[in-house]
Amino acid sequence: MSRRRSITPLSFLLSACLAAAPASGGDPIRDLQERAIDRGQSEAAHWGWQPENYSLWGTHSNRLIPVYTYGTANAGAGLDLNDYTGENSLYRDPAKLIRLYGRPPVETYNTEAEYLDQTNLYDLQRAALDAGKKHIFLVVFDGMDWQTTRAAATYNTGRVAYTSGRGTGLHFQDYDANGTSQYGFMVTSPHNDGTDVDVDEQRVLNPGGSTPGGYDPNRAGADPWTPAEGLESPEYLVSGPKAASVKHAYTDSASSAVSMTAGLKTYNNAIGVDAEGRQVETIAHMAQREGYAVGAVSSVPISHATPAAAYAHNVHRNDYQDLTRDLLGLPSISHPERPLPGLDVLIGGGYGTDRDEDDGQGENYVPGNPYLTAEDRRQVDVENGGRYVVAYRTPGVNGAERLAEAADEAASGSKRLLGFYGAEPGGGHLPYRTADGGYDPTVGRKKTAEEYSSRDLMENPTLAQMTRAALTALEGDPEGFWLLVEAGDVDWANHDNNLDNSIGAVNSGDAAVKVVTDWVEQNSNWQESVMIVTADHGHYLVLDRPELLTTQSESAEDAETESAGAE
């Protein structure tokens, strides 16, 4: 496979056009990323609590996370974001905190809290459902905190345009939904970390785990952009060994998605279950029961944590095949006798991976694709009497065109839609887009970089095209629909400390958001539609000199070299 930096296939023109224009000339972010990995440090940014170490930390943090809403301002009780922030923040109420965390979380009560909790996003969606809103969208940029958003916006605008607040430079920041958009930020800490489970018995072994959740603004900051004064230890954000006297668990994607779609705190790795392992109802289940169509779209595998937790039930996020069965309405280990009804639309990755064994999936694991077995795919296909028009990556077939055809077929025939794609090899995600709009990733903390063939690009749709296909399949439902869209590759980029991939992934997700807003303006309005754009958790990106994201590669290198020499 050869690196293709200068070719953008027709199937990718949509997202390329929708994304904000990159800085002119060269490829400054690629150059910056390569130098940072080579040197082990960068004047522009770093991950973790040591500025001299570019790749100190490669996983999540307990940062406050931005929330953008549309169709909510002055929309009524429970729909307005202000109902959950400021004086209405549950973090100002000790009794509400006890109900939320199951105990009094230490150093978490805050009489001046401006932030909401991620469970309030469920409350807002429930209020939209109760108010009869026809279209409810939840867009999750996995792993995108305020700093990640700002990095992309700074590169897109070519300037450091803001130092606090909502920001500008991305469509979801600048779009105001006819004056109905609002902005806030939220706590994402889980009920606990360290819960052990038995996947085969679907049982929680040690309820409560080892590290409780909570949020201390004096150690982590009262907003996403202001570092806490008098920080005892920067390791607080990651529950590190030097986190002083207070440790709070930081969430994973599974626990976070349960909070956003079911309205409760649970343990890390939980899918659709509470802290004791009991199955819970999500907003998708409620909407489906009321006649709505429901769907999920992701740039990463179809039964990864975020799409899975929106609908499936399992004590552990890694039981992928059973999670997919729940999503498709097939018998699973959690629902062996009475399967869930299944989503009306499921589009995502997972194609192109195979495993003979998978300890995380229990005794019923079927060798082969770890996300969707060959038999399950055959069973759900309309060609075999199933309920889904199935589109999947096929050699020589344009992925975007095939998916669009399948969506039309599903819509015209009142069928469901399943899309199954992914780069190979690469773990089943869509090809990574980089900051300059290409698909040529460079090295991250793993010291490796994926390379894509022309087939990888042509045979896969983009997240924006997946979103458009989902809307085609859902829009004919007279009762309305609920749709989850996940830009999951933001998280994968940040885990790899890859700023080039991270900015590209944010822009890919932003293109999908624009597909939604264009659809609402052309087919609906912001009186009958509600959208939430947010992230499930943060990482630990620190922008030391964001202005270096705006310069050409030569001047950026000179600036870094000059600064290093001055030291």
Side-chain angles (χ1 to χ4, degrees):
M1 296 183 182
S2 60
R3 187 180 298 280
R4 303 296 294 269
R5 296 188 56 192
S6 61
I7 298 177
T8 302
L10 290 175
S11 64
F12 276 69
L13 285 179
L14 175 61
S15 65
C17 292
L18 291 176
S24 59
D27 195 344
I29 303 303
R30 181 187 182 87
D31 295 341
L32 188 156
Q33 174 67 22
E34 289 180 344
R35 290 195 305 273
I37 293 298
D38 180 60
R39 299 172 181 175
Q41 66 88 37
S42 171
E43 292 298 313
H46 66 279
W47 272 268
W49 54 93
Q50 296 176 359
E52 69 277 10
N53 190 337
Y54 184 72
S55 295
L56 175 67
W57 190 253
T59 191
H60 308 167
S61 76
N62 201 18
R63 281 174 160 172
L64 294 169
I65 295 301
V67 177
Y68 304 81
T69 63
Y70 310 81
T72 61
N74 302 312
L79 279 165
D80 195 301
L81 194 63
N82 292 330
D83 291 344
Y84 308 104
T85 62
E87 63 182 16
N88 296 317
S89 170
L90 58 80
Y91 284 86
R92 298 191 184 196
D93 188 327
K96 290 182 179 179
L97 284 176
I98 293 173
R99 287 196 296 271
L100 184 65
Y101 287 95
R103 58 191 172 277
V106 298
E107 304 296 337
T108 298
Y109 171 55
N110 179 9
T111 58
E112 299 180 351
E114 293 296 324
Y115 38 82
L116 63 153
D117 187 76
Q118 62 185 166
T119 57
N120 294 136
L121 300 189
Y122 161 84
D123 297 330
L124 197 156
Q125 292 173 85
R126 180 63 187 268
L129 196 61
D130 291 344
K133 301 294 183 178
K134 288 196 66 176
H135 314 115
I136 304 171
F137 302 91
L138 176 61
V139 183
V140 178
F141 285 71
D142 197 316
M144 185 187 72
D145 48 27
W146 187 87
Q147 290 76 7
T148 299
T149 309
R150 187 181 183 219
T154 299
Y155 174 74
N156 290 346
T157 59
R159 61 192 177 96
V160 181
Y162 61 97
T163 58
S164 63
R166 181 183 181 113
T168 183
L170 291 152
H171 176 69
F172 65 76
Q173 293 175 313
D174 298 327
Y175 183 74
D176 74 349
N178 297 325
T180 68
S181 181
Q182 297 175 288
Y183 172 76
F185 39 92
M186 66 182 183
V187 174
T188 65
S189 189
H191 181 279
N192 76 83
D193 188 31
T195 289
D196 299 319
V197 302
D198 185 316
V199 174
D200 293 312
E201 295 186 8
Q202 285 295 296
R203 185 165 61 92
V204 168
L205 302 179
N206 61 331
S210 57
T211 305
Y215 186 81
D216 184 352
N218 294 315
R219 289 177 170 84
D223 56 54
W225 49 87
T226 304
E229 296 180 1
L231 189 67
E232 285 190 32
S233 169
E235 291 187 46
Y236 164 77
L237 285 172
V238 298
S239 303
K242 297 180 181 179
S245 58
V246 175
K247 291 186 179 182
H248 287 138
Y250 55 86
T251 193
D252 76 335
S253 296
S255 171
S256 180
V258 174
S259 290
M260 291 188 288
T261 60
L264 53 86
K265 297 284 189 185
T266 189
Y267 62 90
N268 284 343
N269 296 318
I271 297 291
V273 298
D274 66 14
E276 305 288 328
R278 294 180 292 256
Q279 295 178 4
V280 297
E281 189 175 45
T282 72
I283 192 70
H285 299 140
M286 298 173 191
Q288 191 172 52
R289 191 173 62 247
E290 295 188 19
Y292 287 62
V294 293
V297 176
S298 179
S299 60
V300 298
I302 53 176
S303 51
H304 260 219
T306 304
Y311 193 83
H313 295 122
N314 203 289
V315 296
H316 203 284
R317 59 181 290 176
N318 289 349
D319 196 7
Y320 299 119
Q321 290 178 348
D322 274 309
L323 291 170
T324 298
R325 293 180 185 116
D326 278 354
L327 298 174
L328 295 176
L330 296 173
S332 70
I333 195 166
S334 297
H335 298 280
E337 303 298 332
R338 298 181 61 187
L340 292 170
L343 294 170
D344 296 283
V345 169
L346 179 61
I347 309 172
Y351 177 91
T353 59
D354 285 283
R355 300 173 193 164
D356 292 333
E357 298 179 353
D358 193 325
D359 293 340
Q361 302 212 43
E363 295 178 356
N364 69 340
Y365 177 70
V366 178
N369 188 284
Y371 305 105
L372 176 62
T373 71
E375 173 57 25
D376 289 343
R377 189 171 80 177
R378 187 202 66 79
Q379 186 174 343
V380 301
D381 197 320
V382 292
E383 294 185 359
N384 300 309
R387 294 180 290 177
Y388 290 84
V389 177
V390 179
Y392 53 90
R393 181 174 174 177
T394 304
V397 175
N398 184 291
E401 293 176 1
R402 170 60 193 134
L403 182 61
E405 292 170 356
D408 287 336
E409 182 182 346
S412 62
S414 299
K415 301 293 184 180
R416 294 178 168 186
L417 175 64
L418 170 62
F420 193 52
Y421 291 90
E424 57 174 350
H429 57 76
L430 297 185
Y432 291 142
R433 175 181 170 173
T434 51
D436 69 347
Y439 293 86
D440 58 342
T442 190
V443 293
R445 68 182 285 125
K446 299 175 184 177
K447 305 296 180 66
T448 60
E450 291 188 9
E451 296 185 0
Y452 307 126
S453 68
S454 57
R455 287 183 51 238
D456 283 315
L457 301 183
M458 187 269 286
E459 293 169 7
N460 281 296
T462 65
L463 181 63
Q465 291 161 342
M466 287 178 165
T467 302
R468 176 61 260 185
L471 291 170
T472 297
L474 294 170
E475 63 191 358
D477 192 290
E479 300 298 324
F481 59 82
W482 177 90
L483 177 63
L484 167 75
V485 178
E486 182 199 21
D489 43 353
V490 181
D491 186 53
W492 294 32
N494 284 344
H495 276 297
D496 197 32
N497 296 162
N498 194 317
L499 192 58
D500 197 15
N501 286 359
S502 179
I503 292 173
V506 171
N507 282 334
S508 291
D510 197 39
V513 173
K514 192 171 188 303
V515 169
V516 173
T517 60
D518 285 351
W519 183 90
V520 171
E521 293 201 353
Q522 295 165 10
N523 299 276
S524 179
N525 55 63
W526 292 109
Q527 285 70 54
E528 64 177 15
S529 301
V530 168
M531 179 171 67
I532 299 168
V533 174
T534 189
D536 51 358
H537 56 74
H539 280 256
Y540 211 145
L541 173 65
V542 179
L543 298 177
D544 301 297
R545 296 184 60 191
E547 68 273 13
L548 293 179
L549 306 185
T550 71
T551 57
Q552 303 303 320
S553 58
E554 294 81 7
S555 58
E557 183 171 12
D558 291 344
E560 290 198 277
T561 302
E562 180 180 344
S563 177
E567 294 176 358

